[in-house]
Structure formats: C-alpha cells, structure tokens
C-alpha cells in the first residue's frame, strides 16, 4: 500500500447548491455529527473509509461518489452487515447541494484523479492521492481567499509519520544512512515517502555515506537529495509496503522500520484529519501538525 496524499476541506453551511462556493462560519462546529462525503468511495481505500466513518463517533456518512457501481448501496458494496441506504452516485455537486441546506459541518475526502484537484476544488471540495507543489500553492491561495479549511497530508499513516520524525532525530547522530523500501508495484519509485524522508534529512549540515559518495555503481541505489541519501526500492509480490531506514557508525547499526499491511491502518489518521480540518480556516500541510 503506497502512502497517500490527502486533502480535507470543510464545507460551510452557507454553501449554495446553485452556485458552489467556499465560506466558513466564524462560529465553532456544532455538536451535530460531521457530515462526510467520500469521492472515490468504490476504491479499496474509499471502502475502508466508508466503514471507518460509519463506525466513528461524531461522524455520519453523507454521500458516496464514484463512477463505478452506480446505484448500488455503498454499505453492501463494503460488505457491511446492513445496507446504509446511500447509493453510489457520480455527481459530487449534487451530493454537496443535498447537505448544504442544513447547519451541519461537512468534510469531503477525494480519492480521485489528482490532475483535476484544483478544478474540483473550485466547484466543490476535494481530497486527492498525489499532488504537485504548485497545486498546493494554488490551493493555499484559494483557501486563504475563501477562509476555508484544508489539510494536505502526504500520508495518512500515523506509523509513517512517527518513522519520519525518528529519522530526523537520528540523522544528527550518524554519518551513514540508506533506505530500503518495498512496494506492490513499480509506479513512482522511489516512492513519495522515500523521497520525503531523504529531503527531510538533507540540508541539515550533514553529508552521508562519504566513503563512496561519488560511485556510479547502480547496485548502490539511487541518491536522493543533495547530501548522499541512498534509496533501494524493491517490487516483490507478497511483500507489504515497507520502509526501512538504516543508520550506522563503526560498531553500531540503528534500524527504523514501518510496514503497512492493510489499508485499514490508514483509518486512524483519516479520522484524526476529519476531526481537525473542521476547525481550520486555511491550508495546513502534513498530518504531523496534529500529532
């Protein structure tokens, strides 16, 4: 399971279905359940999100949007014991309009094509798996102008965030570091997580792996960043999505490892993000800001 980038946007009670826009009330969120719309609900992570939101205290699934399994009950599609009486629909704007009449706080999570994120946001609210820095900048400006809450989270995995924080701490004490990762497919390798880890520990005044920093032997892995962090990526059926970071000094090896075995492991981070984003009035990058 690859790490996921996330956007969560707060829906305002002033959102009108005839002309979707984004505004935020100055009052605190009401005690009513947070209305959650999931765009891309038929995907694996979308189905896990449906189950997690349905079971979570203080939340209510308000819509399931996807271009597949249209008309099917999302509860039955997720193998839940009882139907939720929420059909899968393809029109996100229609779902937004149906909940914007009330005073409840709403959040939209989008698992769809990242290339459409900005256009979708201008029409409604969006979460997207992968996002470019320039799109984040554009979204930030949009959120500031509309006083709209948004959380961009490169990963929903709390374990992944803790690993990254531990790596930063260790980088000040070791001169050698290499990263080994495994993923279910070869797309976008090295992974965004590996790239972020390498960037996090670059430009800290440390040059890593000086002994062979200039080697061009491909078996030594790809150097990411400017300070010599080497990344080795594996694609092997049956292996979980795994990240291992090795630090060493003479006579000492320090290993940090994190595995994602099931998409359900991302749900605690998802629920945390939903609860936090309803109180935002601007864009925040990184779920770690709330840990």
């Amino acid at each position: 399971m690859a790490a996921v980038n996330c956007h969560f946007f707060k829906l305002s009670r002033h959102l009108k279905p005839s002309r979707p826009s984004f505004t935020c009330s100055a009052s605190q969120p009401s005690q009513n359940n947070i209305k959650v719309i999931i765009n891309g609900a038929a995907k694996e992570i979308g189905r896990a999100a449906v189950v997690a939101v349905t079971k979570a205290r203080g939340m209510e699934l308000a819509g399931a949007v996807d271009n597949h399994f249209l008309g099917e009950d999302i509860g039955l599609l997720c193998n839940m014991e009882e139907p939720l009486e929420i059909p899968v629909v393809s029109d996100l704007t229609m779902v937004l309009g149906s909940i914007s009449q009330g005073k409840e706080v709403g959040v939209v999570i989008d698992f769809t094509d990242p290339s459409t994120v900005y256009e979708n946001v201008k029409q409604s609210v969006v979460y997207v798996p992968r996002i470019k820095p320039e799109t984040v900048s554009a979204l930030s400006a949009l959120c500031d102008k509309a006083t709209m809450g948004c959380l961009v989270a490169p990963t929903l995995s709390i374990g992944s965030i803790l690993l990254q924080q531990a790596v930063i701490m260790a980088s000040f004490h070791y001169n050698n570091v290499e990263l080994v990762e495994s993923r279910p497919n070869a797309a976008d390798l090295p992974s965004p997580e590996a790239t972020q880890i390498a960037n996090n520990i670059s430009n800290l005044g440390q040059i890593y792996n000086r002994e062979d920093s200039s080697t061009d032997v491909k078996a030594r892995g790809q150097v990411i960043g400017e300070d010599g962090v080497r990344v080795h990526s594996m694609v092997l059926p049956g292996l979980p999505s795994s990240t291992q970071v090795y630090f060493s000094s003479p006579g000492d090896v320090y290993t940090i490892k994190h595995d994602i075995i099931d998409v359900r492991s991302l749900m605690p981070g998802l629920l945390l993000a939903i609860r936090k984003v309803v109180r935002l009035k601007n864009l925040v990058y990184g779920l770690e800001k709330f840990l």
Side-chain angles (χ1 to χ4, degrees):
M1 174 68 56
V4 187
N5 297 313
C6 309
H7 295 86
F8 301 86
F9 295 84
K10 176 170 60 178
L11 289 176
S12 168
R13 66 184 64 178
H14 305 299
L15 185 63
K16 298 180 180 180
S18 59
R19 185 181 178 183
S21 60
F22 302 101
T23 57
C24 291
S25 169
S27 61
Q28 293 294 322
S30 69
Q31 297 301 313
N32 295 328
N33 288 347
I34 301 171
K35 300 281 189 176
V36 179
I37 300 171
I38 299 176
N39 193 12
K43 296 184 177 182
E44 181 185 13
I45 190 171
R47 297 186 194 194
V50 167
V51 175
V53 168
T54 302
K55 294 181 177 180
R57 179 178 300 178
M59 297 183 194
E60 178 182 344
L61 185 68
V65 182
D66 206 291
N67 290 324
H68 300 89
F69 303 101
L70 295 178
E72 294 195 26
D73 185 275
I74 189 61
L76 297 179
L77 191 61
C78 295
N79 296 319
M80 301 181 71
E81 293 182 359
E82 299 290 338
L84 295 178
E85 299 183 356
I86 298 176
V88 178
V89 299
S90 60
D91 191 338
L92 176 60
T93 303
M94 180 186 70
V95 180
L96 291 173
S98 69
I99 72 167
S100 64
Q101 303 301 316
K103 297 182 179 181
E104 295 88 353
V105 174
V107 173
V108 173
I109 310 166
D110 191 306
F111 297 102
T112 58
D113 186 356
S115 65
T116 63
V117 57
Y118 188 64
E119 291 301 321
N120 284 349
V121 168
K122 290 192 291 185
Q123 296 175 1
S124 53
V125 260
V126 174
Y127 154 100
V128 67
R130 296 179 184 273
I131 189 168
K132 297 179 180 179
E134 55 268 28
T135 307
V136 174
S137 298
L139 289 174
S140 180
L142 176 65
C143 291
D144 289 341
K145 184 177 180 179
T147 319
M148 179 179 67
C150 171
L151 171 62
V152 178
T155 179
L156 288 172
S157 169
I158 293 176
S160 176
I161 294 172
L162 296 176
L163 177 141
Q164 293 183 36
Q165 293 174 344
V167 167
I168 293 173
M169 294 178 61
S171 67
F172 292 99
H173 305 284
Y174 291 92
N175 296 324
N176 294 276
V177 56
E178 305 210 10
L179 190 152
V180 179
E181 64 173 354
S182 64
R183 295 294 184 268
N185 58 68
D188 300 317
L189 288 177
S191 70
E193 181 181 18
T195 301
Q196 182 173 352
I197 291 172
N199 290 334
N200 285 347
I201 61 176
S202 295
N203 302 313
L204 298 179
Q206 177 81 283
I207 302 297
Y208 306 101
N209 309 315
R210 290 178 181 269
E211 292 81 359
D212 65 346
S213 59
S214 61
T215 183
D216 57 359
V217 176
K218 293 183 178 180
R220 287 291 294 113
Q222 180 179 349
V223 175
I224 303 294
E226 301 178 356
D227 296 336
V229 179
R230 293 189 177 274
V231 177
H232 310 261
S233 300
M234 300 187 298
V235 179
L236 292 173
L239 284 183
S241 290
S242 177
T243 301
Q244 300 180 68
V245 185
Y246 294 89
F247 291 93
S248 74
S249 61
D252 179 22
V253 177
Y254 176 45
T255 305
I256 309 171
K257 180 181 180 181
H258 177 245
D259 296 336
I260 296 179
I261 301 172
D262 192 288
V263 70
R264 290 175 295 180
S265 67
L266 306 179
M267 295 304 106
L270 173 71
L271 298 180
L272 173 64
I274 293 171
R275 292 191 171 99
K276 294 298 183 180
V277 75
V278 296
R279 300 185 180 275
L280 297 179
K281 295 183 179 180
N282 60 340
L283 184 145
V284 172
Y285 187 90
L287 184 61
E288 64 270 16
K289 303 295 193 305
F290 302 112
L291 292 183

